[in-house]
Amino acid sequence: MTDANLGDIRAIRIEDEMRTSYLDYAMSVIVARALPDVRDGLKPVHRRILYTMGEMGLSSTSSFRKCAAIVGEVMGKYHPHGDVALYDALVRLAQDFSMRYPLVNGQGNFGSVDGDAPAAMRYTEARLTALASEMLADIDKETVDFVDNYDGTQKEPTVLPAKLPNLLVNGSSGIAVGMATNIPPHHLGEVVDATIALIDDPELTADELCQYVTGPDFPTGGTIFRYERQRNSISGEWETVDAIRQMYAHGRGRVVMRAQVAFEEVKGDRVAIIVTELPYQVNKATLLEKIAELVKDKKIDGIADLRDESDRDGMRMYVEIKRDANPHKVLNNLFKHTTLQAAFNMNMLALVDGQPQTLPLKSVLQHYVDHRREIVRRRTEYDLERARERAHILEGLKIALDHLDEVIKTIRESADVERAKANLMSRFDLSERQAQAILDMRLARLAALERKKIEDEYLEVIQLIAELEDILANVARVLSIIKDELRELKKKYAGDRRTRVAEDSSRELTDEDLIADEDVVITISGRGYIKRQPVATYRRQARGGKGIIGHVTREEDAVEHLLVANTHDWALFFTNRGRVFSAKVHAIPDASRQAKGLPIINMPGVQVDAGEVPMATITLPAFAAGSYLVMATKQGRIKKTPLEQFERVRSTGIRAITIDEDDELAWVDVSSGEDDVIIATAQGMLARFHESEVRAMGRDAAGVIGIRLRRVGDAVVSMSVVQPTAELLVLTETGYGKRVPMTEFRPKHRGGQGVRLIALEGRKTGVVAAVQQVDDRDEELVLISAHGQVVRTDVRTVSRQHAAARGVIVMRLNEGDRVVGIAAFRPGLAEALASDDNDGPEAGPGGGSGNRSGPGPGA
């Protein structure tokens, strides 16, 4: 070795070299691999994937491309790392159970919540989602900085324009060197509302922002809990804290997640726990294995069967409980020992100007707003520069058109193109670009109409320049543009929240916590058999259909009552003798279409006397103060009593109204105290009057005359409180029906004989069987006959006619059958979008505020 070589050697302490090299490596991992940027919420690998797919033209409307081609393109141009890790990153962007709002639309096997691996990249295909296009919007307008790629042959963006607040919306997780990030996904609508609120008032606190962002919104649904018991670090005592507010205030914390479960009755009087939603990032297959292991090791007792019944329609884990076991105890043990309940430990660590920082909610939103302000400013500057360039060209064309003969002469006298350009520039004081534009102009542009188009375009460009200059000079306008873009994102992509936010996870579960929140059809037969079924049991049909069997009855036991309610509502049962009993709707037995149900007298809390039968049923979510129960008897008496007097009903019942021996309680409804009341009779008469004519009375009162029956054998078949914008749907016992505008019945005084409601034609129409208030805003009807035939149809299929008309056939009946009930409800969005002729089950309707039923007529 020469002396020259020895001169290049330096003495370095090994610990110093290790420290320096490790720090360089750590910062490389932090900045270039593991942590997302606070502005677009993406790590470099995800950013490069989205940008490359945009370059490849893989928009949401384009055809799919093989993932192998996408991975190869990204790896060859921007990401010199392994193809396996790159494909895994692409797969996660397409998984709807990992991403709250997926940015890649995958075709093929992209894995499952059971932990199944995706198919090889040569089999799968992908393209961008519409939301991912919003992340790339305006990237071609110099809105972000570009840097050289790893070998200097390409340019890649340092950040995406990100119209979407992606860091919060889709979250992120990653392990760097000495630090880690774990940000949960959120609901787009809530994040947008919080961002707009912060723009309007930059002084908002984290607590005030929590009024908009109620908590994480995981793609797998489930439930999170706001409050949690924590031990005070100073006093050592346990205290209840708002875990979600603390988490957002400091940028770190934990939130308890719990699966969505419900109890379901199975054969043999057993109960099964049904799991339909899991906590975020819980592997279903591993969870089932863990439960089976706990049962085998006898750490959890009481489980008789365990299976996975999930299919393409959704998740369903079935855990059957032994007959002698306590379902609540088993479920609480499952929450305790398995990932049916888990904690999400949030750490909002992200890169801010290349440096990792733990950020509270307000800081994340503010950094996003600052980023969008920069994007809008640079986009506006780009558009302004292009507009000025276009205006410059149009000014040259206008000069040419104003001096057309001289321009043509100058060009003809020039020796070549370059000389013609120089002559135009010198003679008409044009720039080189203007002169070139004149030389490139086609002769067709010399037509009068084309000249007018140039002048109009010039005026538009001048106005655009003024608009863009005003935006750049006015910060308030920039912020207004950001808010408008956010509102448009919310309108197009937000959707419904999936994760429920509950109060406290420390309390014991009750029966009602485990009851699925759904809408059901309740039917009651004349012999007092009651049952409930999901509304989706009955598919929608056209008017005049025969329907399906909804309640199998014996000849001497016809269906008498029908109503639609929510499983968490209260049901009040009024007997013919004026007594009332109460129960929760979910306590009503869930039975099949062919089952006859359970006798009401066998229900908990219902103890009727001999000769006493339920005559009217009402369901309501709560006993609101200021509301009244309005009651009517078959002989036309009416009464109203404050609703709160029925909140606590003994198991032996309480008196609701005093009834004469020759009369029976017929109908019950809820009023506000300022409504009109209508009473309809079997002979087709109707009385309408204001309820102020009926003073509020105690529960023991007998009421006053509401309508006078003018014919022997006539009886009240319907009483209800008038709803704004409603129409009356009238149905006779032979299936004839119509809609009548409520305006045809003017309010009169209480105690009259009423006016004509429908023209009855003897045996052809029979008497009035049901009168129901409806409107045509997506409302649907469920009709039932005495022999259990059920028809479900759209209210708009029943024609609107005047009071003197007979109506049209709404339900075709078998020989000897008759219509007895009708219920109306408004379906939810999923059902409204369902096909009318779909033979499969449909989603249930949206819940109403209350439903009523009486004898003969339905709810």
Side-chain angles (χ1 to χ4, degrees):
M1 184 177 293
T2 63
D3 294 339
N5 295 131
L6 292 173
D8 295 334
I9 297 175
R10 294 181 295 115
I12 299 176
R13 292 172 58 86
I14 186 68
E15 56 266 33
D16 293 340
E17 178 61 25
M18 290 293 293
R19 181 181 298 108
T20 301
S21 299
Y22 190 76
L23 285 174
D24 290 344
Y25 160 74
M27 286 306 299
S28 174
V29 172
I30 290 169
V31 175
R33 286 199 187 186
L35 298 185
D37 194 292
V38 71
R39 296 169 292 179
D40 61 6
L42 297 173
K43 300 176 187 179
V45 62
H46 300 124
R47 188 179 301 117
R48 287 164 177 166
I49 289 171
L50 296 181
Y51 178 66
T52 302
M53 292 180 72
E55 278 190 317
M56 296 171 69
L58 299 180
S59 68
S60 60
T61 57
S62 72
S63 58
F64 288 89
R65 285 286 299 277
K66 286 289 185 183
C67 289
I70 299 171
V71 169
E73 191 81 3
V74 177
M75 187 167 56
K77 287 186 175 181
Y78 306 113
H79 199 71
H81 300 283
D83 61 330
V84 175
L86 189 55
Y87 181 52
D88 288 344
L90 172 63
V91 165
R92 188 180 186 279
L93 291 175
Q95 291 176 336
D96 57 4
F97 54 88
S98 296
M99 302 284 286
R100 179 60 181 84
Y101 298 91
L103 300 177
V104 170
N105 183 4
Q107 183 168 267
N109 176 17
F110 277 76
S112 73
V113 73
D114 288 320
D116 299 322
M121 67 179 81
R122 62 182 178 273
Y123 299 121
T124 57
E125 299 177 332
R127 64 184 180 189
L128 294 173
T129 63
L131 198 57
S133 300
E134 306 286 0
M135 295 287 292
L136 294 164
D138 303 320
I139 197 170
D140 56 344
K141 293 187 176 183
E142 300 177 2
T143 51
V144 296
D145 295 330
F146 281 72
V147 295
D148 289 335
N149 68 337
Y150 64 91
D151 62 358
T153 60
Q154 304 284 338
K155 292 287 186 179
E156 64 174 309
T158 57
V159 68
L160 297 186
K163 191 181 295 184
L164 172 75
N166 186 61
L167 183 66
L168 285 173
V169 166
N170 274 319
S172 184
S173 62
I175 301 175
V177 179
M179 61 187 68
T181 185
N182 199 25
I183 304 172
H186 292 80
H187 187 257
L188 174 59
E190 293 183 359
V191 175
V192 165
D193 291 341
T195 306
I196 292 174
L198 185 63
I199 292 174
D200 293 335
D201 183 5
E203 301 302 320
L204 286 179
T205 64
D207 282 355
E208 291 170 327
L209 288 173
C210 284
Q211 296 176 7
Y212 304 96
V213 182
T214 57
D217 186 26
F218 299 110
T220 52
T223 301
I224 59 175
F225 296 92
R226 173 171 296 281
Y227 296 102
E228 186 180 9
R229 285 178 57 81
Q230 296 180 0
R231 190 182 295 276
N232 190 297
S233 58
I234 300 175
S235 65
E237 297 181 356
W238 288 95
E239 56 186 15
T240 301
V241 299
D242 191 330
I244 291 180
R245 287 180 181 265
Q246 280 194 352
M247 185 172 68
Y248 288 137
H250 302 100
R252 62 173 69 239
R254 70 190 293 270
V255 61
V256 176
M257 307 177 293
R258 181 177 285 177
Q260 185 68 15
V261 298
F263 283 159
E264 182 178 284
E265 296 179 7
V266 295
K267 293 181 179 179
D269 297 329
R270 289 189 176 183
V271 173
I273 298 172
I274 307 299
V275 182
T276 54
E277 297 173 7
L278 289 178
Y280 187 48
Q281 295 176 328
V282 168
N283 186 308
K284 175 159 60 69
T286 304
L287 172 61
L288 287 166
E289 292 174 3
K290 177 66 175 177
I291 296 175
E293 181 182 332
L294 291 170
V295 173
K296 180 181 178 182
D297 296 340
K298 299 188 183 304
K299 293 182 179 179
I300 293 182
D301 295 325
I303 295 179
D305 192 13
L306 172 68
R307 58 179 180 265
D308 185 4
E309 298 181 347
S310 304
D311 55 23
R312 65 179 60 190
D313 295 324
M315 180 185 298
R316 180 181 167 91
M317 286 174 51
Y318 178 92
V319 184
E320 186 173 320
I321 309 301
K322 292 180 180 178
R323 186 175 287 104
D324 58 347
N326 184 336
H328 295 282
K329 183 177 179 181
V330 173
L331 183 58
N332 283 321
N333 280 330
L334 288 173
F335 285 144
K336 181 178 180 180
H337 296 291
T338 72
T339 51
L340 280 179
Q341 178 170 302
F344 187 95
N345 294 292
M346 188 185 82
N347 184 20
M348 282 208 285
L349 184 70
L351 295 175
V352 180
D353 296 329
Q355 299 296 319
Q357 293 183 20
T358 299
L359 302 167
L361 175 62
K362 181 177 179 179
S363 295
V364 174
L365 294 176
Q366 189 59 60
H367 282 299
Y368 168 76
V369 172
D370 293 342
H371 173 58
R372 287 303 299 171
R373 284 181 59 181
E374 178 70 7
I375 295 300
V376 173
R377 182 188 64 80
R378 294 179 64 163
R379 180 183 68 193
T380 306
E381 289 177 348
Y382 178 89
D383 290 339
L384 179 60
E385 182 63 25
R386 302 288 89 74
R388 285 172 174 167
E389 291 175 358
R390 183 57 182 166
H392 182 65
I393 296 298
L394 291 172
E395 287 170 354
L397 295 179
K398 281 171 55 62
I399 291 174
L401 292 173
D402 292 339
H403 305 83
L404 185 58
D405 294 336
E406 297 178 54
V407 168
I408 294 174
K409 181 179 179 182
T410 301
I411 296 173
R412 292 182 63 184
E413 291 175 352
S414 302
D416 53 29
V417 174
E418 289 301 321
R419 194 62 196 166
K421 183 191 298 184
N423 291 338
L424 288 173
M425 292 170 59
S426 60
R427 183 165 185 178
F428 298 101
D429 195 21
L430 300 173
S431 68
E432 183 176 353
R433 296 184 62 188
Q434 288 176 322
Q436 185 63 49
I438 292 172
L439 292 173
D440 294 339
M441 184 172 63
R442 295 184 302 125
L443 291 177
R445 302 297 298 273
L446 302 180
L449 189 58
E450 291 297 320
R451 296 180 61 175
K452 182 67 167 57
K453 286 182 179 179
I454 291 175
E455 293 172 355
D456 292 342
E457 183 185 356
Y458 180 71
L459 289 176
E460 291 176 3
V461 172
I462 293 299
Q463 292 173 357
L464 176 61
I465 291 173
E467 177 78 4
L468 296 173
E469 288 176 340
D470 183 63
I471 291 173
L472 291 174
N474 192 341
V475 176
R477 290 206 60 186
V478 174
L479 295 176
S480 177
I481 290 172
I482 295 173
K483 291 193 293 184
D484 290 342
E485 291 177 347
L486 285 172
R487 291 190 185 101
E488 185 64 22
L489 281 177
K490 176 183 176 181
K491 180 180 177 182
K492 291 171 64 176
Y493 304 109
D496 295 329
R497 183 178 178 86
R498 297 181 185 176
T499 301
R500 303 156 189 81
V501 181
E503 293 301 308
D504 186 3
S505 65
S506 61
R507 68 181 179 86
E508 288 294 318
L509 293 173
T510 64
D511 283 337
E512 190 150 351
D513 293 324
L514 303 173
I515 298 299
D517 189 353
E518 62 179 351
D519 293 281
V520 293
V521 173
I522 300 171
T523 56
I524 307 173
S525 73
R527 294 172 60 92
Y529 283 84
I530 186 171
K531 69 175 182 178
R532 62 179 169 91
Q533 301 166 261
V535 172
T537 303
Y538 310 104
R539 66 181 177 89
R540 191 182 305 137
Q541 299 181 11
R543 174 181 64 81
K546 277 201 164 188
I548 61 175
I549 294 296
H551 191 116
V552 174
T553 63
R554 291 180 294 178
E555 186 174 344
E556 68 274 16
D557 185 21
V559 174
E560 292 288 349
H561 307 268
L562 173 73
L563 62 156
V564 177
N566 187 276
T567 49
H568 288 254
D569 287 349
W570 283 96
L572 297 180
F573 303 99
F574 294 82
T575 72
N576 58 332
R577 302 315 305 158
R579 289 205 302 158
V580 59
F581 302 87
S582 69
K584 280 289 191 176
V585 169
H586 59 71
I588 299 172
D590 187 5
S592 66
R593 289 192 291 112
Q594 289 75 24
K596 65 180 180 180
L598 178 77
I600 293 180
I601 59 175
N602 291 346
M603 286 185 57
V606 181
Q607 299 179 13
V608 299
D609 296 334
E612 196 173 15
V613 294
M615 290 295 288
T617 303
I618 184 170
T619 61
L620 61 163
F623 296 88
S627 297
Y628 297 88
L629 278 187
V630 181
M631 292 163 272
T633 72
K634 281 190 174 182
Q635 296 302 314
R637 297 191 70 84
I638 188 168
K639 169 192 173 180
K640 74 175 182 181
T641 303
L643 182 59
E644 58 263 28
Q645 293 191 20
F646 300 90
E647 186 168 5
R648 293 176 177 85
V649 178
R650 299 184 297 270
S651 61
T652 55
I654 60 174
R655 183 164 298 284
I657 184 175
T658 299
I659 299 293
D660 295 336
E661 288 187 5
D662 61 343
D663 201 359
E664 290 183 336
L665 177 62
W667 271 74
V668 182
D669 201 353
V670 178
S671 75
S672 66
E674 299 295 333
D675 300 311
D676 282 357
V677 176
I678 54 173
I679 301 178
T681 75
Q683 295 298 328
M685 304 302 292
L686 181 137
R688 176 178 179 179
F689 52 88
H690 196 273
E691 67 169 291
S692 60
E693 298 200 1
V694 183
R695 63 179 179 84
M697 307 176 190
R699 290 190 285 107
D700 291 330
V704 295
I705 293 294
I707 185 171
R708 296 187 186 275
L709 306 178
R710 65 179 182 176
R711 294 184 183 179
V712 177
D714 198 4
V716 172
V717 295
S718 172
M719 183 280 300
S720 60
V721 173
V722 175
Q723 304 298 323
T725 73
E727 299 176 313
L728 282 182
L729 188 143
V730 190
L731 195 65
T732 71
E733 62 181 357
T734 61
Y736 280 85
K738 65 178 180 179
R739 286 185 291 158
V740 186
M742 191 71 75
T743 53
E744 292 204 15
F745 309 102
R746 294 187 299 106
K748 296 186 177 181
H749 290 296
R750 173 184 60 81
Q753 293 184 351
V755 297
R756 177 64 59 190
L757 171 62
I758 186 171
L760 301 178
E761 300 180 7
R763 296 180 60 184
K764 184 173 185 177
T765 61
V767 298
V768 174
V771 179
Q772 169 71 45
Q773 293 186 72
V774 298
D775 59 44
D776 57 3
R777 294 176 301 170
D778 298 327
E779 194 147 18
E780 292 195 6
L781 305 172
V782 177
L783 299 85
I784 194 165
S785 75
H787 290 175
Q789 207 76 8
V790 173
V791 166
R792 178 180 173 190
T793 188
D794 194 304
V795 69
R796 287 167 291 191
T797 63
V798 182
S799 62
R800 185 183 289 111
Q801 300 181 6
H802 55 80
R806 179 189 64 194
V808 296
I809 287 290
V810 178
M811 183 178 185
R812 298 189 183 278
L813 302 168
N814 295 322
E815 186 69 26
D817 202 358
R818 62 184 176 87
V819 175
V820 295
I822 182 171
F825 63 91
R826 184 162 297 121
L829 177 60
E831 181 157 299
L833 295 177
S835 172
D836 283 354
D837 57 357
N838 179 15
D839 288 332
E842 300 181 68
S849 60
N851 288 285
R852 287 77 57 189
S853 78

